[in-house]
Amino acid sequence: MKKFLTILLTCATLGGYCQQETASVAISNDSKLTISKHIYGQFAEHLGHGVYGGFWVDKTLPVKKEGRIRLDVVDALKKIKIPNLRWPGGCFADEYHWRDGIGPSALRPRMVNTNWGGTTEDNSFGTHEFLELCKLLNTEPYVAGNVGSGTVDEMSKWIEYLNSNSSSSVAQLRKTNGHPEPYKVTFWGVGNESWGCGGNMTPEYYADLFKRYASFAKDYPGARLKKIASGPNSDDYNWTEVCMKNIPNWMMWGISLHYYTVPTGNWGHKGSATKFDEKEYFTTMVNCLKMEELVNKHSAIMDKYDPEKKVALVVDEWGVWTDAEPGTNPGFLYQQNSMRDALIAGTTLNIFNNHCDRVKMAALAQTVNVLQSLILTDKDKMLLTPTYHIFDLYKVHQDAKFLPIKLNTPEYKVDGKEIPAVNASASQDVAGRIHISFVNLDPNNSISVSTSFKNIKWTTATGQALTSANLTDINTFQKPNNIHITGFNGIKKDGDKLTVDLPSKSVVVIELQ
């Protein structure tokens, strides 16, 4: 079988003249680790127009639908092979009672979504609708159970409803509601943000509560649960310490971590999604790169109690969080998506890839119309964001063999502070193709990357690129393809080495064979 080599490169700039600097990368082929496809997961909460108006639309909307599920959105997500979808929250999960979302839609009770805008939730999108969506997407469901306002019995019965093939009244109820066979859902979150909107608990209290809820979260034939504990907020290392110390490793498949890139670092005024200068861009990327520190430090704590790395670090909420777009409901968290956001996505995914020994699952917040979305919709209109294109390019890493790299990079400096201009990760898929993803964060200089390989040969190269005139550029419903993937030819071969001249503000994918 022929060996193929694909290189994935990402760079960015705010525009203007670019000088060229140099970086070097050495790639070895001696790892036994795998980059889990579940790192590329997504998140859909009952928030704003994420579910209602995003996935689940009015019957009269003139778009192709399966029931009320919007199929152009489904088709776009299938293209990038999203591996899992987290639902129903988020903060909404700990006020959601699953029995309200089953049975005839007209008979389902209404509730007020107290966390997100005080809107009325009619529960027309419930358990069956979510799992039908996952079936259409060919993705695994990741359900977040209600620990904050729910009961142990409620969670236990939801799992039985989903996964049991017995003759119990709960399993029979699922059959009566139109699904004779069990769904066999395996990813299960035991609460969400229990340190905050999920109950404002202490880690000691939550660890005991987790053990209680998890004890009654039963396995059923063909559906062994992967129970995920509600982990720390950002740099709350004590939360991780207490949970890892007090919860037996065998009891949890993973522990979550939530961290958002806030451009200004100020939650009261987070910054605009589209209007920012170079100084704010630099601060944004400093905050983005903090993910590396968080993963390293939380992993080190986990290593103390789990040296064999059996418990996954699950970063199931991440992404850039800006101020809501002017004129929109601030509780709906609707924000535009720029080239800057594409760099945040590429950088963060590189960090996860490089820590695939511990990071085995993640979820971008969120999939449609909320925060750092892959897709934006407006009635019958739909567009793909720059972040979507990053996931399209990076899908080559899913379930591929991790390849360690050695990177030498220039620094990007602003006001006497500096960050690495380039970050990268690499993998080899089952067909023998090698993929390397580089991110150039320097907005003023192009960077020539010299890449050397060990025990890898290639003869020809082709490439693709994602670029735009400015980091503040976006796709709009009037110009939905303003930022899109195009061809690329800035590739040079020198013996068995590869040189790629990374233009500013671009994502470049190169395939060598």
Side-chain angles (χ1 to χ4, degrees):
M1 180 183 292
K2 285 187 176 181
K3 296 292 183 180
F4 295 91
L5 180 61
T6 301
I7 305 243
L8 181 59
L9 308 160
T10 314
C11 74
T13 181
L14 285 164
Y17 176 75
C18 288
Q19 299 177 354
Q20 189 171 70
E21 296 190 358
T22 60
S24 64
V25 171
I27 304 170
S28 60
N29 195 11
D30 57 2
S31 170
K32 295 183 180 180
L33 295 171
T34 297
I35 297 174
S36 172
K37 67 180 181 180
H38 289 293
I39 285 174
Y40 291 81
Q42 304 299 325
F43 176 30
E45 184 171 7
H46 288 234
L47 196 174
H49 296 300
V51 172
Y52 297 97
F55 285 113
W56 188 250
V57 296
D58 190 272
K59 295 177 181 179
T60 63
L61 191 70
V63 296
K64 189 177 180 181
K65 300 180 291 294
E66 180 73 28
R68 289 176 60 185
I69 296 173
R70 183 170 180 158
L71 292 182
D72 54 355
V73 169
V74 168
D75 290 341
L77 296 174
K78 285 176 68 177
K79 182 178 183 293
I80 61 173
K81 301 180 180 179
I82 69 166
N84 64 73
L85 186 62
R86 182 173 179 247
W87 173 86
C91 293
F92 183 78
D94 281 297
E95 64 175 355
Y96 181 69
H97 300 283
W98 68 271
R99 288 181 183 270
D100 293 346
I102 61 172
S105 181
L107 301 180
R108 297 179 188 180
R110 293 172 177 261
M111 62 174 287
V112 175
N113 189 335
T114 62
N115 284 288
W116 304 118
T119 57
T120 299
E121 162 72 51
D122 70 3
N123 282 307
S124 61
F125 188 89
T127 295
H128 289 262
E129 291 77 18
F130 169 65
L131 292 166
E132 177 63 19
L133 172 62
C134 289
K135 180 182 177 181
L136 292 171
L137 289 168
N138 193 28
T139 196
E140 287 197 54
Y142 170 16
V143 175
N146 183 345
V147 169
S149 67
T151 66
V152 172
D153 183 67
E154 181 181 12
M155 183 181 289
S156 177
K157 290 294 194 297
W158 196 6
I159 297 167
E160 183 181 358
Y161 183 87
L162 291 168
N163 294 344
S164 174
N165 199 29
S166 70
S167 58
S168 72
S169 59
V170 175
Q172 185 59 47
L173 181 60
R174 181 198 69 244
K175 298 172 185 178
T176 300
N177 286 333
H179 204 273
E181 298 300 318
Y183 284 108
K184 298 184 179 180
V185 174
T186 60
F187 287 115
W188 195 266
V190 182
N192 166 79
E193 293 190 359
S194 297
W195 40 264
C197 64
N200 289 298
M201 305 173 193
T202 65
E204 290 82 4
Y205 180 80
Y206 173 74
D208 285 344
L209 205 60
F210 173 90
K211 288 184 285 188
R212 182 176 173 223
Y213 274 74
S215 294
F216 292 91
K218 304 294 185 179
D219 293 332
Y220 292 91
R224 183 175 178 82
L225 291 184
K226 300 181 181 75
K227 301 168 192 176
I228 299 170
S230 177
N233 176 29
S234 184
D235 57 359
D236 185 353
Y237 300 114
N238 181 60
W239 188 282
T240 302
E241 183 88 37
V242 171
C243 286
M244 291 301 298
K245 180 180 179 181
N246 293 356
I247 300 173
N249 291 346
W250 59 265
M251 212 170 204
M252 57 178 170
W253 181 85
I255 183 170
S256 71
L257 167 65
H258 290 180
Y259 176 70
Y260 288 93
T261 296
V262 176
T264 64
N266 178 359
W267 282 93
H269 175 64
K270 295 180 280 292
S272 169
T274 58
K275 298 177 181 179
F276 52 88
D277 57 17
E278 183 176 348
K279 186 174 180 179
E280 186 168 310
Y281 164 71
F282 181 85
T283 301
T284 303
M285 300 319 299
V286 168
N287 295 336
C288 169
L289 287 167
K290 187 180 178 183
M291 183 68 81
E292 179 87 36
E293 174 189 328
L294 296 173
V295 170
N296 275 325
K297 291 186 175 181
H298 285 294
S299 295
I301 295 169
M302 296 174 73
D303 287 347
K304 289 169 54 179
Y305 303 96
D306 175 34
E308 296 181 349
K309 300 182 186 293
K310 293 183 177 180
V311 179
L313 183 58
V314 180
V315 192
D316 55 17
E317 288 190 31
W318 68 270
V320 63
W321 192 326
T322 69
D323 293 329
E325 289 299 298
T328 66
N329 187 329
F332 284 8
L333 307 186
Y334 178 84
Q335 65 191 47
Q336 252 294 355
N337 196 289
S338 70
M339 275 299 301
R340 176 183 67 174
D341 302 337
L343 295 171
I344 291 169
T347 297
T348 304
L349 291 172
N350 278 342
I351 292 169
F352 295 162
N353 289 346
N354 287 327
H355 291 276
C356 63
D357 60 332
R358 185 61 83 177
V359 179
K360 299 174 184 177
M361 191 174 189
L364 175 72
Q366 294 186 13
T367 317
V368 187
N369 292 330
V370 177
L371 298 174
Q372 189 173 349
S373 307
L374 299 178
I375 295 171
L376 300 178
T377 65
D378 180 15
K379 297 180 176 141
D380 61 333
K381 299 176 183 176
M382 185 196 82
L383 66 81
L384 307 176
T385 69
T387 296
Y388 174 93
H389 295 304
I390 294 298
F391 276 81
D392 194 7
L393 292 169
Y394 274 57
K395 67 188 178 186
V396 295
H397 288 305
Q398 292 189 23
D399 279 347
K401 177 184 177 182
F402 168 69
L403 300 181
I405 63 175
K406 293 182 180 179
L407 170 65
N408 290 310
T409 172
E411 300 295 319
Y412 166 43
K413 302 177 182 179
V414 171
D415 291 343
K417 299 178 182 179
E418 60 185 35
I419 58 175
V422 176
N423 60 77
S425 65
S427 67
Q428 182 178 33
D429 68 17
V430 293
R433 293 171 294 201
I434 307 292
H435 304 94
I436 312 161
S437 46
F438 289 93
V439 179
N440 175 11
L441 299 179
D442 192 325
N444 304 309
N445 299 292
S446 61
I447 297 178
S448 179
V449 181
S450 175
T451 308
S452 60
F453 310 96
K454 183 179 179 181
N455 299 324
I456 298 171
K457 296 186 182 298
W458 57 278
T459 56
T460 60
T462 56
Q464 292 178 298
L466 182 72
T467 190
S468 192
N470 305 285
L471 277 177
T472 53
D473 287 347
I474 59 175
N475 288 336
T476 67
F477 294 109
Q478 293 72 35
K479 294 183 178 180
N481 295 313
N482 186 41
I483 301 174
H484 62 280
I485 298 171
T486 61
F488 176 76
N489 59 9
I491 310 163
K492 299 175 184 177
K493 186 178 189 297
D494 182 11
D496 60 353
K497 290 187 177 181
L498 171 73
T499 300
V500 179
D501 293 331
L502 301 179
S504 61
K505 54 190 176 303
S506 67
V507 178
V508 179
V509 180
I510 302 164
E511 181 168 285
L512 307 179
Q513 70 179 26

CSV table of all heavy atoms in Angstrom, one decimal, residues 159 162-164 182-187 217-227:
chain,number,residue,atom,x,y,z
A,159,ILE,N,-31.8,6.4,32.6
A,159,ILE,CA,-30.9,5.4,32.0
A,159,ILE,C,-31.6,4.1,31.7
A,159,ILE,O,-31.4,3.5,30.6
A,159,ILE,CB,-29.7,5.2,33.0
A,159,ILE,CG1,-28.9,6.5,33.2
A,159,ILE,CG2,-28.8,4.1,32.4
A,159,ILE,CD1,-27.9,6.4,34.3
A,162,LEU,N,-33.6,4.6,28.6
A,162,LEU,CA,-32.8,4.6,27.4
A,162,LEU,C,-32.2,3.2,27.0
A,162,LEU,O,-32.2,2.9,25.8
A,162,LEU,CB,-31.6,5.6,27.6
A,162,LEU,CG,-32.0,7.1,27.6
A,162,LEU,CD1,-30.8,7.8,28.1
A,162,LEU,CD2,-32.4,7.6,26.3
A,163,ASN,N,-31.8,2.5,28.0
A,163,ASN,CA,-30.9,1.3,27.7
A,163,ASN,C,-31.5,0.0,28.0
A,163,ASN,O,-30.9,-1.0,27.6
A,163,ASN,CB,-29.6,1.5,28.4
A,163,ASN,CG,-28.8,2.7,27.9
A,163,ASN,OD1,-29.1,3.2,26.8
A,163,ASN,ND2,-27.8,3.2,28.7
A,164,SER,N,-32.5,-0.1,28.8
A,164,SER,CA,-33.0,-1.4,29.2
A,164,SER,C,-33.9,-2.1,28.1
A,164,SER,O,-34.8,-1.4,27.5
A,164,SER,CB,-33.8,-1.3,30.5
A,164,SER,OG,-34.4,-2.6,30.8
A,182,PRO,N,-33.7,-0.7,22.8
A,182,PRO,CA,-33.0,0.3,23.6
A,182,PRO,C,-32.0,1.1,22.8
A,182,PRO,O,-31.5,0.7,21.8
A,182,PRO,CB,-32.2,-0.6,24.6
A,182,PRO,CG,-32.1,-2.0,24.0
A,182,PRO,CD,-33.3,-2.1,23.2
A,183,TYR,N,-31.8,2.3,23.3
A,183,TYR,CA,-30.9,3.3,22.5
A,183,TYR,C,-29.4,3.0,22.8
A,183,TYR,O,-28.6,3.3,22.0
A,183,TYR,CB,-31.2,4.7,23.0
A,183,TYR,CG,-32.5,5.3,22.4
A,183,TYR,CD1,-33.6,5.5,23.2
A,183,TYR,CD2,-32.5,5.7,21.1
A,183,TYR,CE1,-34.7,6.1,22.7
A,183,TYR,CE2,-33.7,6.2,20.5
A,183,TYR,CZ,-34.8,6.4,21.3
A,183,TYR,OH,-35.9,7.0,20.8
A,184,LYS,N,-29.1,2.4,23.9
A,184,LYS,CA,-27.7,2.0,24.3
A,184,LYS,C,-26.8,3.3,24.3
A,184,LYS,O,-25.8,3.3,23.7
A,184,LYS,CB,-27.2,1.0,23.3
A,184,LYS,CG,-27.9,-0.3,23.3
A,184,LYS,CD,-27.3,-1.4,22.4
A,184,LYS,CE,-28.1,-2.7,22.6
A,184,LYS,NZ,-27.6,-3.8,21.7
A,185,VAL,N,-27.2,4.2,25.1
A,185,VAL,CA,-26.4,5.4,25.3
A,185,VAL,C,-25.4,5.1,26.3
A,185,VAL,O,-25.7,4.5,27.4
A,185,VAL,CB,-27.3,6.6,25.8
A,185,VAL,CG1,-26.5,7.8,26.2
A,185,VAL,CG2,-28.4,7.0,24.8
A,186,THR,N,-24.1,5.4,26.0
A,186,THR,CA,-23.0,5.1,27.0
A,186,THR,C,-22.4,6.3,27.6
A,186,THR,O,-22.0,6.2,28.8
A,186,THR,CB,-21.9,4.3,26.2
A,186,THR,OG1,-21.4,5.0,25.1
A,186,THR,CG2,-22.5,2.9,25.7
A,187,PHE,N,-22.2,7.4,26.9
A,187,PHE,CA,-21.6,8.6,27.6
A,187,PHE,C,-22.6,9.3,28.5
A,187,PHE,O,-23.7,9.7,28.0
A,187,PHE,CB,-21.1,9.6,26.5
A,187,PHE,CG,-19.9,9.1,25.8
A,187,PHE,CD1,-19.9,8.9,24.4
A,187,PHE,CD2,-18.7,8.9,26.5
A,187,PHE,CE1,-18.8,8.4,23.7
A,187,PHE,CE2,-17.5,8.5,25.8
A,187,PHE,CZ,-17.6,8.3,24.4
A,217,ALA,N,-26.6,4.5,38.7
A,217,ALA,CA,-26.6,4.6,37.2
A,217,ALA,C,-26.1,3.3,36.7
A,217,ALA,O,-24.9,3.0,36.6
A,217,ALA,CB,-25.6,5.7,36.8
A,218,LYS,N,-27.0,2.4,36.3
A,218,LYS,CA,-26.7,1.0,36.0
A,218,LYS,C,-26.3,0.8,34.6
A,218,LYS,O,-26.8,1.4,33.7
A,218,LYS,CB,-28.0,0.2,36.3
A,218,LYS,CG,-28.5,0.3,37.8
A,218,LYS,CD,-27.5,-0.2,38.8
A,218,LYS,CE,-28.1,-0.2,40.2
A,218,LYS,NZ,-27.2,-0.7,41.2
A,219,ASP,N,-25.5,-0.3,34.4
A,219,ASP,CA,-25.2,-0.8,33.1
A,219,ASP,C,-26.3,-1.8,32.6
A,219,ASP,O,-26.8,-2.5,33.5
A,219,ASP,CB,-23.8,-1.5,33.1
A,219,ASP,CG,-22.7,-0.6,33.4
A,219,ASP,OD1,-22.8,0.6,33.0
A,219,ASP,OD2,-21.6,-1.1,33.9
A,220,TYR,N,-26.6,-1.7,31.4
A,220,TYR,CA,-27.5,-2.7,30.8
A,220,TYR,C,-26.8,-3.4,29.6
A,220,TYR,O,-25.7,-2.9,29.1
A,220,TYR,CB,-28.8,-2.0,30.3
A,220,TYR,CG,-29.6,-1.5,31.4
A,220,TYR,CD1,-29.4,-0.2,31.9
A,220,TYR,CD2,-30.5,-2.3,32.0
A,220,TYR,CE1,-30.2,0.3,33.0
A,220,TYR,CE2,-31.3,-1.8,33.1
A,220,TYR,CZ,-31.1,-0.5,33.6
A,220,TYR,OH,-31.8,-0.1,34.7
A,221,PRO,N,-27.2,-4.5,29.2
A,221,PRO,CA,-26.6,-5.3,28.1
A,221,PRO,C,-26.3,-4.4,26.9
A,221,PRO,O,-27.2,-3.7,26.4
A,221,PRO,CB,-27.5,-6.4,27.8
A,221,PRO,CG,-28.3,-6.6,29.0
A,221,PRO,CD,-28.4,-5.3,29.7
A,222,GLY,N,-25.0,-4.4,26.5
A,222,GLY,CA,-24.6,-3.6,25.3
A,222,GLY,C,-24.5,-2.1,25.5
A,222,GLY,O,-24.3,-1.3,24.6
A,223,ALA,N,-24.6,-1.7,26.8
A,223,ALA,CA,-24.6,-0.3,27.1
A,223,ALA,C,-23.8,-0.1,28.5
A,223,ALA,O,-24.5,0.4,29.4
A,223,ALA,CB,-26.0,0.3,27.1
A,224,ARG,N,-22.6,-0.4,28.5
A,224,ARG,CA,-21.8,-0.1,29.7
A,224,ARG,C,-21.5,1.4,29.8
A,224,ARG,O,-20.9,2.0,28.9
A,224,ARG,CB,-20.5,-0.9,29.6
A,224,ARG,CG,-19.6,-0.7,30.9
A,224,ARG,CD,-18.4,-1.6,30.8
A,224,ARG,NE,-17.5,-1.4,32.0
A,224,ARG,CZ,-17.7,-2.0,33.2
A,224,ARG,NH1,-18.7,-2.8,33.3
A,224,ARG,NH2,-16.9,-1.7,34.2
A,225,LEU,N,-22.0,2.0,30.8
A,225,LEU,CA,-21.9,3.5,30.9
A,225,LEU,C,-20.5,4.0,31.1
A,225,LEU,O,-19.6,3.4,31.8
A,225,LEU,CB,-22.7,4.0,32.1
A,225,LEU,CG,-24.2,3.9,32.0
A,225,LEU,CD1,-24.8,4.5,33.3
A,225,LEU,CD2,-24.8,4.5,30.8
A,226,LYS,N,-20.2,5.1,30.4
A,226,LYS,CA,-18.9,5.9,30.6
A,226,LYS,C,-19.3,7.1,31.4
A,226,LYS,O,-19.7,8.1,30.9
A,226,LYS,CB,-18.3,6.2,29.3
A,226,LYS,CG,-18.0,5.1,28.4
A,226,LYS,CD,-17.3,5.6,27.1
A,226,LYS,CE,-17.0,4.4,26.2
A,226,LYS,NZ,-18.2,3.8,25.5
A,227,LYS,N,-19.2,7.0,32.7
A,227,LYS,CA,-19.7,8.0,33.6
A,227,LYS,C,-18.7,9.1,33.8
A,227,LYS,O,-17.5,8.9,34.0
A,227,LYS,CB,-20.0,7.4,35.0
A,227,LYS,CG,-21.1,6.3,34.9
A,227,LYS,CD,-21.2,5.6,36.3
A,227,LYS,CE,-22.0,4.3,36.1
A,227,LYS,NZ,-22.1,3.5,37.3
